[in-house]
Amino acid sequence: MQVYTMDRIPQLEIVEAKGAVLNEQVFSVDIVTDTLSGLGSMFGGNSSSYTKEYRKGREIVLKGLEQKAQEMGADSIVGLKIQYGQFINSEIMLLVISANGTAVVTKPIADKS
């Protein structure tokens, strides 16, 4: 499965659009990780624990998106968009990661030379 952020794929022709494909996931972040990360960010720099959580969540969401597109009979996804959100209360932080695109079937563009 090939996934593209653009609407057209070089060297490939989109021969059929199977439809929109969407996947949303909500992940909880351990309060200890959250607290330690917050302490580190007070002194500048990046938060490796948050970075790992976002990366892991993005990979899970993309795998689910690809699986849904494959079930629709697609071989590629175009127009990929990923969105992130957070919900925080006094006890837990939730990461919301969603991805969407269009599931398509492609074929190589015929050489016209």
Side-chain angles (χ1 to χ4, degrees):
M1 177 71 57
Q2 298 292 314
V3 181
Y4 302 89
T5 56
M6 55 191 155
D7 294 328
R8 298 193 188 282
I9 307 168
Q11 291 86 34
L12 293 176
E13 177 183 357
I14 295 173
V15 295
E16 183 181 359
K18 293 292 191 173
V21 62
L22 309 129
N23 191 19
E24 308 85 18
Q25 298 288 324
V26 179
F27 305 93
S28 63
V29 175
D30 180 11
I31 192 72
V32 174
T33 301
D34 186 27
T35 303
L36 293 175
S37 183
L39 289 174
S41 65
M42 286 182 0
F43 301 106
N46 66 20
S47 168
S48 63
S49 60
Y50 278 141
T51 301
K52 288 177 189 174
E53 292 297 322
Y54 275 98
R55 183 178 299 125
K56 181 174 69 173
R58 184 180 63 243
E59 289 171 1
I60 290 169
V61 168
L62 285 174
K63 282 183 183 178
L65 193 73
E66 291 174 7
Q67 181 179 353
K68 289 179 180 188
Q70 192 171 31
E71 290 169 1
M72 295 169 72
D75 61 25
S76 299
I77 298 170
V78 295
L80 173 70
K81 293 186 179 35
I82 300 175
Q83 296 177 312
Y84 301 90
Q86 292 181 352
F87 296 97
I88 303 170
N89 67 25
S90 61
E91 298 172 13
I92 195 166
M93 181 178 122
L94 298 174
L95 300 178
V96 180
I97 304 174
S98 63
N100 64 72
T102 303
V104 298
V105 176
T106 62
K107 72 173 187 177
I109 294 175
D111 187 13
K112 295 181 181 179
S113 55

